[in-house]
Amino acid sequence: MADNALAPKSTNLLGDIYRAAVPLNARTLIDTAVRGNTNDITEADLSPAELSALRQVYETTTTKNATNKQALANKLSVSAEEYEKAPEQTPERVPTPRGYSIVYRPLSYDEYINKTTTALNTYDKTKNKTSISYNDYPDKMAAPTFDSWLSSIWKSYTDPAYRLKTTLGSFNVQETPTGPVATDKYNFDAADFYAMKGKRPSEMSTSEMWKRANGPVDFLDMLMIKRGAPSRNVNIKLPPK
């Protein structure tokens, strides 16, 4: 027993060097698009710092959601008399000779109650699921499409939350009997988005993508769509608090 306990554990030296040298976002892209890996992305693929950042994003979002839910519940306690003193405004599109304009009208009390109740019910319907969006990461910014190459590379090596953001993007966290699990589909499915901007990636050359891209995230996204990169499931068990 003593000999076994003292025996060195087998390691994959090249794999360890690869993981240390290539950040999560780039490594996942290479493994999926170049090496054809279609295995699930799990907690084993993340570093302790990345798992900690993932837990922090989840907890921050659940706290925000609880605050928003309570605010909606408080709105239902407003009486009709109180509401009529300062009714909520809702935007509406009104046709004009040149198209349309946006005007605001006050919601009736019944509309206000129905709207608030509907919003509150969404929290109950999804009580075992928390949706994480790009704006829920610490930088509170949308998708990092406009990051420069230098900025993206720097943050990929220094910021675990950025590595998550540029790997997972938006995802869900499901509450399970054994704890929260992040679930998603790692894929490149924004072809319609680029079509609305003028051209699908499949219609562009690599040089045209380079010219059109706002930064590395944008360029690589288009390139992977054109290549038809495979998708992978995400199933990451979050670490305990």
Side-chain angles (χ1 to χ4, degrees):
M1 292 291 293
D3 290 340
N4 289 338
L6 293 174
K9 296 180 180 179
S10 62
T11 60
N12 182 342
L13 181 59
L14 290 179
D16 291 343
I17 293 174
Y18 172 58
R19 285 174 60 90
V22 183
L24 176 68
N25 45 10
R27 190 172 70 247
T28 306
L29 180 69
I30 293 169
D31 289 348
T32 306
V34 179
R35 303 173 74 181
N37 187 350
T38 56
N39 294 335
D40 286 7
I41 298 170
T42 72
E43 61 276 9
D45 296 297
L46 275 62
S47 69
E50 289 156 359
L51 286 170
S52 178
L54 180 60
R55 180 85 206 194
Q56 184 60 49
V57 170
Y58 165 66
E59 291 185 356
T60 300
T61 305
T62 55
T63 299
K64 179 194 71 175
N65 288 348
T67 300
N68 292 342
K69 182 180 179 181
Q70 185 58 53
L72 289 169
N74 292 342
K75 289 175 68 174
L76 291 179
S77 66
V78 175
S79 68
E81 183 178 1
E82 290 177 301
Y83 176 76
E84 293 302 334
K85 295 177 183 177
E88 281 192 3
Q89 303 289 312
T90 184
E92 289 187 344
R93 292 173 58 164
V94 176
T96 67
R98 295 186 177 182
Y100 68 88
S101 62
I102 301 296
V103 299
Y104 288 83
R105 69 166 180 85
L107 283 175
S108 70
Y109 183 68
D110 285 344
E111 288 176 316
Y112 163 79
I113 291 297
N114 288 337
K115 178 183 176 183
T116 303
T117 300
T118 299
L120 188 58
N121 286 342
T122 61
Y123 286 95
D124 293 327
K125 291 177 181 177
T126 59
K127 62 182 179 180
N128 292 322
K129 181 179 77 172
T130 300
S131 296
I132 311 294
S133 70
Y134 282 102
N135 292 321
D136 291 319
Y137 289 87
D139 60 10
K140 307 297 182 186
M141 302 291 286
T145 305
F146 295 96
D147 281 351
S148 67
W149 283 93
L150 182 60
S151 174
S152 184
I153 292 171
W154 172 256
K155 287 189 285 189
S156 292
Y157 279 98
T158 61
D159 186 353
Y162 181 82
R163 294 195 291 272
L164 289 174
K165 187 172 188 175
T166 49
T167 303
L168 301 181
S170 299
F171 61 94
N172 294 320
V173 176
Q174 304 283 348
E175 290 291 347
T176 75
T178 58
V181 178
T183 61
D184 191 25
K185 180 77 74 174
Y186 179 82
N187 57 12
F188 302 89
D189 59 355
D192 290 343
F193 167 76
Y194 291 107
M196 288 189 295
K197 294 176 65 176
K199 268 189 177 181
R200 293 178 178 275
S202 59
E203 300 168 339
M204 291 185 255
S205 65
T206 302
S207 61
E208 185 176 1
M209 290 181 202
W210 180 267
K211 292 176 182 177
R212 285 173 172 261
N214 295 307
V217 174
D218 203 21
F219 172 71
L220 292 171
D221 195 30
M222 287 190 283
L223 187 61
M224 292 305 103
I225 293 171
K226 184 178 178 69
R227 286 173 57 98
S231 63
R232 298 170 67 183
N233 290 325
V234 174
N235 282 291
I236 302 172
K237 294 180 181 178
L238 273 65
K241 293 183 179 180

